[in-house]
Amino acid sequence: MTFINYASREINCKIVYYGPGLCGKTTNLQYIYDKTNPTAKGKLISLATETDRTLFFDFLPLELGTVRGFRTRFHLYTVPGQVFYDASRRLILKGVDGVIFVADSQVERMDANIESVENLVINLKSQGYDLMSIPYVLQLNKRDLPNVAPADEIRRLLARKNEPVFEAVAPKGIGVFETLKGVAKLVLSELTKTGSS
Amino acid sequence: MAAPDIVMYEEEFNQIKQIISKLRVDANAKVVFLVDKNGQQIAAHGEIENLDTTSLASLTAGNVAATDGLARLIGEREFSILFHEGARDNIHISIVAQRVILVVIFDERSSLGLVRLRVKKASLELGETFGRIMAKVEKERAVAGTAFESPFAEITDEDIDSLFSE
């Protein structure tokens, strides 16, 4: 649910990073936070446990500049990846404009990836969204690890539609901004189509 | 999309700003702000210079969402009021018209009773204003047919690329 304010000429979009536990959602946000101009970002809020596992969400507001005279803000959220936080995950999808699925490329995490994509479909549906029509991109993270599955194979297992796929190494920033840009493009071009619900 | 987008127009935006600034005075509060349920800040008034209102908005929405979840677990539709008491400042959170969140921050210069009373009145006014906004959005859509005019109708790839140019 994009929020357009004609009075202050602002547009706010909500992007959610989804994926299984320890796939690197928070790391994506952390990298974006570290590399963004201080004037363009707000605080990175992390509601995490003492062992740095996301408990509720991470949140990063980003101001990207103006499009057609409107200040464009993206609010980036991550969900807690661990299976038992499902109720929290559902809440965070409320009002989402675009989803980035972060997949863990390691062979042994493939089942967790598949389970998480299926969980995403269900939770989107519970908020009234359909994965097939919402702006959605797939990120294959951890491409630098030795035991990764071939990109084509992961794509075959996880891709749900013709979504853009990005390979990434989040701690080094490889593919991080490309992924965000990919989903931002889809979200903004969605606005060109509709403005309607 | 699940819910219609909120589109804020100048006229209603000014009304909303008036209502919350009046509420701040009437309730003797430090800050009054309005957030939508997804965590987007709609308007803020008061001592906000040193306040990170964006984070406040997202955490408030998270808080309300979590509390909504709790409510449903025990068979309630929602908890319409949340109150957090601090040593110095307190936060009063209430849901207006089932879609926006009204937050009032106050200290010892006010009291919970006063805030509750004033919030109740302001909520009615805000509810009416949001009703008008939604009616207006619907009307504009009906007039424009399927093609509700979006300011982004002619956005180009270059426009989007330029956002990421740095």
Side-chain angles (χ1 to χ4, degrees):
Chain A
M1 182 161 118
T2 327
F3 179 73
I4 305 175
N5 191 333
Y6 284 92
S8 54
R9 300 193 75 74
E10 285 175 4
I11 175 146
N12 293 322
C13 306
K14 178 171 178 176
I15 309 288
V16 173
Y17 285 77
Y18 211 91
L22 295 175
C23 70
K25 301 174 287 293
T26 303
T27 311
N28 264 274
L29 240 63
Q30 187 68 51
Y31 185 82
I32 292 166
Y33 179 78
D34 291 342
K35 294 294 169 192
T36 313
N37 189 331
T39 56
K41 68 186 173 193
K43 254 192 223 126
L44 173 63
I45 288 188
S46 229
L47 304 181
T49 66
E50 283 173 8
T51 50
D52 277 337
R53 303 299 304 270
T54 304
L55 180 61
F56 194 2
F57 59 78
D58 305 304
F59 168 66
L60 176 64
L62 267 193
E63 185 157 333
L64 287 178
T66 40
V67 182
R68 306 271 147 171
F70 276 75
R71 271 164 70 192
T72 309
R73 289 214 191 93
F74 280 89
H75 289 179
L76 311 183
Y77 285 82
T78 67
V79 298
Q82 293 176 87
V83 175
F84 60 90
Y85 288 131
D86 198 40
S88 306
R89 268 196 296 281
R90 243 188 334 261
L91 296 176
I92 293 154
L93 287 175
K94 200 186 272 253
V96 67
D97 293 304
V99 177
I100 294 171
F101 187 89
V102 182
D104 189 329
S105 294
Q106 297 175 90
V107 174
E108 66 269 26
R109 295 298 286 163
M110 231 28 77
D111 285 346
N113 288 328
I114 293 168
E115 191 185 342
S116 182
V117 172
E118 283 165 1
N119 177 255
L120 170 64
V121 173
I122 293 167
N123 283 343
L124 278 173
K125 199 171 266 171
S126 77
Q127 298 287 358
Y129 299 104
D130 179 3
L131 181 71
M132 300 311 283
S133 56
I134 194 172
Y136 175 72
V137 303
L138 175 61
Q139 181 187 78
L140 313 182
N141 195 19
K142 310 197 183 185
R143 294 310 295 168
D144 59 333
L145 295 186
N147 52 341
V148 296
D152 280 344
E153 192 189 326
I154 307 179
R155 189 192 296 240
R156 192 175 52 76
L157 287 169
L158 298 182
R160 287 303 167 116
K161 50 180 179 181
N162 221 355
E163 69 263 42
V165 179
F166 300 90
E167 295 192 25
V169 182
K172 295 185 184 139
I174 299 168
V176 170
F177 276 100
E178 288 78 359
T179 310
L180 176 61
K181 190 173 166 178
V183 82
K185 218 168 201 171
L186 293 178
V187 169
L188 292 174
S189 52
E190 189 71 10
L191 289 174
T192 68
K193 278 192 246 157
T194 54
S196 62
S197 54
Chain B
M1 273 187 219
D5 296 344
I6 295 185
V7 178
M8 185 68 74
Y9 301 95
E10 195 94 37
E11 189 188 349
E12 284 79 13
F13 191 51
N14 286 333
Q15 286 169 3
I16 287 169
K17 282 198 288 196
Q18 260 171 24
I19 297 169
I20 66 170
S21 88
K22 182 166 181 300
L23 172 61
R24 188 179 89 91
V25 175
D26 288 349
N28 229 353
K30 288 172 82 172
V31 178
V32 176
F33 72 90
L34 209 57
V35 187
D36 82 357
K37 277 199 165 181
N38 307 323
Q40 318 275 17
Q41 182 188 316
I42 297 172
H45 186 80
E47 303 165 24
I48 50 173
E49 302 75 31
N50 297 316
L51 202 61
D52 179 356
T53 48
T54 311
S55 301
L56 206 60
S58 111
L59 288 174
T60 305
N63 194 349
V64 167
T67 315
D68 270 357
L70 280 177
R72 250 169 269 130
L73 276 182
I74 64 162
E76 281 287 331
R77 201 162 59 91
E78 66 179 12
F79 293 123
S80 52
I81 293 177
L82 316 179
F83 176 60
H84 301 298
E85 187 175 274
R88 212 183 51 236
D89 291 335
N90 314 295
I91 299 188
H92 182 281
I93 299 172
S94 55
I95 318 285
V96 176
Q98 276 150 40
R99 62 177 312 144
V100 285
I101 304 167
L102 177 62
V103 182
V104 179
I105 303 178
F106 64 98
D107 58 17
E108 78 285 347
R109 286 171 290 176
S110 184
S111 69
L112 178 57
L114 180 65
V115 170
R116 284 191 70 155
L117 185 71
R118 301 302 192 202
V119 160
K120 211 167 181 178
K121 183 158 173 282
S123 295
L124 283 176
E125 293 171 12
L126 286 170
E128 283 168 17
T129 309
F130 277 97
R132 277 199 299 277
I133 291 174
M134 296 323 289
K136 206 164 175 175
V137 171
E138 289 304 318
K139 204 172 132 200
E140 295 231 342
R141 265 178 205 150
V143 170
T146 48
F148 172 73
E149 198 188 332
S150 159
F152 301 94
E154 285 159 20
I155 202 170
T156 60
D157 274 5
E158 288 76 50
D159 286 334
I160 297 169
D161 281 334
S162 73
L163 288 177
F164 287 90
S165 56
E166 284 164 43

